[in-house]
Amino acid sequence: MAPDEILFLTSNAHKAAEARSILNKYGISIINRPAKGTEIQSDSLADVARFCAQDAFKRLGRPLFVEDSGLFIDALNGFPGVYSSTAYAQIGCPGILRLLSGLQNRAAQFRCAVAFIDRQGARIFEAESSGSISEKEAGPSGFGYDPIFIPKGHEKTFAQAPALKARLSHRAKALDALGRHLRGI
Ligand code: IMP
């Protein structure tokens, strides 16, 4: 049976709010704890998330999930990818726009791996959202690279269109899969 309440370990309040609204649809409440725990160095989001979840479960002993995500830009061979959070802190959206200046190929994907763990073990839910990097920053909502990411088939950035992000984002899709798994649907 699905737990009605699960811990989500993240220090990112935006991620917590996004997760809360998705899992609410499945009648699952989230308790947000800020510490994500030990992060290994790996080029796999799934491995990072799985390790964090297992490590946290050893300490806390109750159903929980963590997620690891990043922005992968084709013309930059996947950069910032697993280094998204460091790159954001160092160069931010303006730095990414500078790296792409003059380039035609602006294709990019947001990717997310959610690792859920309970007594039965860990389960990974991966998803991505395809799109492109805008020419300039636009929009007040969201966080991180939202002002420069335009989902495929649309014209506005995630930061301009939070309702679109709620439907199409990498995190929304991965958490939707978690919700369905927990409810057995
Ligand atoms: P981490 O998963 O905490 O390592 O962080 C991944 C980084 O990728 C974040 O700090 C953001 O910079 C970026 N990122 C991940 N998901 C999103 C998103 O939904 N919108 C914008 N940026 C994101």
Side-chain angles (χ1 to χ4, degrees):
M1 213 182 65
D4 291 329
E5 211 176 63
I6 335 177
L7 292 181
F8 178 23
L9 305 185
T10 180
S11 49
N12 184 325
H14 293 278
K15 288 185 181 182
E18 288 180 15
R20 191 161 280 129
S21 92
I22 307 262
L23 290 177
N24 257 345
K25 288 189 290 186
Y26 296 93
I28 296 161
S29 308
I30 284 175
I31 302 172
N32 177 215
R33 293 260 178 92
K36 183 164 160 181
T38 317
E39 270 200 56
I40 53 164
Q41 277 296 324
S42 165
D43 56 10
S44 156
L45 296 176
D47 287 351
V48 174
R50 183 186 284 105
F51 185 90
C52 274
Q54 287 168 336
D55 188 53
F57 190 71
K58 276 185 215 147
R59 284 181 285 113
L60 303 168
R62 50 186 287 194
L64 61 88
F65 67 96
V66 300
E67 72 94 74
D68 203 41
S69 47
L71 176 66
F72 295 73
I73 300 176
D74 290 9
L76 305 178
N77 291 323
F79 182 82
V82 293
Y83 307 106
S84 290
S85 103
T86 311
Y88 185 78
Q90 300 287 331
I91 62 172
C93 291
I96 297 290
L97 293 178
R98 269 196 304 277
L99 290 174
L100 289 184
S101 126
L103 295 184
Q104 290 285 322
N105 179 7
R106 305 184 74 87
Q109 304 86 43
F110 267 126
R111 293 188 194 142
C112 172
V114 167
F116 170 78
I117 188 163
D118 62 8
R119 272 181 307 171
Q120 269 119 55
R123 291 279 308 241
I124 309 295
F125 302 89
E126 289 186 271
E128 71 174 42
S129 181
S130 295
S132 61
I133 303 300
S134 58
E135 294 288 342
K136 53 185 188 358
E137 289 186 58
S141 302
F143 70 99
Y145 302 105
D146 282 345
I148 58 169
F149 184 82
I150 302 175
K152 200 172 192 159
H154 296 270
E155 281 168 12
K156 292 193 168 157
T157 66
F158 271 171
Q160 289 174 299
L164 204 60
K165 183 178 186 191
R167 229 169 9 95
L168 298 180
S169 87
H170 49 315
R171 188 166 304 101
K173 292 175 189 169
L175 289 170
D176 223 43
L178 171 62
R180 286 197 304 274
H181 166 72
L182 291 175
R183 287 294 170 220
I185 48 181

